[in-house]
Amino acid sequence: VTGVSDFVMPLPLPLDVVSLAMGVVNIESVSHDEGPLADSVEQALRTQAHLTVERFGHTVVARTDLGRAERVVVVGHLDTVPEDGNLLAYVEMGKLFGLGACDMKGGLAVMLKSAALRDYGREVTLVFYDGEEVAGLDGLAGLVQGRPDLLQGDLAIVMEPTDARVEIADGGAGGRASVVTAFAELVGMEPVATQGRTTAGRFTELGIPALTFGPGDPRLAHTRQEFVPTAQLTECEHVLREWLRA
Ligand SMILES: [Zn+2]
């Protein structure tokens, strides 16, 4: 018999990316309370025999080890800013509304879909981390300090909302890497340079080419009206799938 406290909300990976994003939105995960969402993500990833899954607090890392030449690290944070109650997910006119839909549960759903591909031409490491929206050491910084080996790769993709554009740190060496250019070509656009400190910048500091690419308009983050266009969920899923299959 499973008690209520043991119940883990399922995130079935065969679901389409929009349904999966709704499921992720509906598991409340305000900073410091990412446990239930981390549990659901971990459980979903553990259904995939080709993944090695590790858990560090409320951070979950899953990786393939298929002997491919290149590795892509895809990164997303599990937490949302607090709101007066969780805003449940609903879809209206091609927009998925709900707390964290834009920042960045849509991106998390895209990451989850990439965990269940049938064929991989590149290795993938998926990093779902906690504590991004609050001050202090977040789960990604914890890995930088404790398990930097898990962050190694030929390209890091941070799935924060960019309106499905490719953003690179302004002046960063990561943006000049040929692998970044190749990814931007797959998306079909020139990379956009961004100012200031970004999560992608934490990878370029480690010497790993990095870019930001995810569904949703970043200006909608942290607002009660936030939504993610369902077409961008599908588009980002497609791009990531093509990159991982290549
Ligand atoms: Zn974010």
Side-chain angles (χ1 to χ4, degrees), residues 66-232:
L66 303 164
R68 307 290 185 262
E70 259 187 52
R71 178 173 295 278
V72 189
V73 186
V74 191
V75 185
H77 62 80
L78 294 167
D79 56 328
T80 70
V81 296
E83 190 43 78
D84 186 17
N86 197 29
L87 304 175
L88 292 176
Y90 66 95
V91 176
E92 195 172 87
M93 303 290 280
K95 297 172 179 173
L96 194 168
F97 291 87
L99 181 60
C102 172
D103 184 16
M104 54 168 287
K105 292 190 163 181
L108 296 179
V110 172
M111 289 171 63
L112 286 170
K113 286 303 290 181
S114 75
L117 303 184
R118 265 168 299 170
D119 48 346
Y120 291 86
R122 289 180 162 104
E123 305 287 350
V124 67
T125 303
L126 298 166
V127 179
F128 299 85
Y129 69 102
D130 63 332
E132 195 271 346
E133 300 284 11
V134 287
L137 198 71
D138 64 26
L140 185 58
L143 291 176
V144 170
Q145 289 188 1
R147 291 294 305 274
D149 57 301
L150 289 178
L151 301 176
Q152 292 306 309
D154 300 280
L155 174 67
I157 300 172
V158 179
M159 290 232 105
E160 291 273 359
T162 63
D163 248 341
R165 301 182 307 174
V166 176
E167 291 187 358
I168 54 169
D170 197 11
R176 291 195 298 272
S178 60
V179 65
V180 171
T181 309
F183 186 87
E185 276 171 11
L186 177 62
V187 178
M189 61 169 300
E190 286 287 306
V192 180
T194 51
Q195 312 284 330
R197 200 171 153 69
T198 63
T199 304
R202 294 156 76 171
F203 281 89
T204 52
E205 283 168 15
L206 296 172
I208 300 165
L211 56 87
T212 310
F213 170 75
D217 181 342
R219 292 168 300 184
L220 293 173
H222 308 176
T223 68
R224 282 191 72 88
Q225 295 76 32
E226 79 174 297
F227 67 84
V228 62
T230 57
Q232 285 189 8

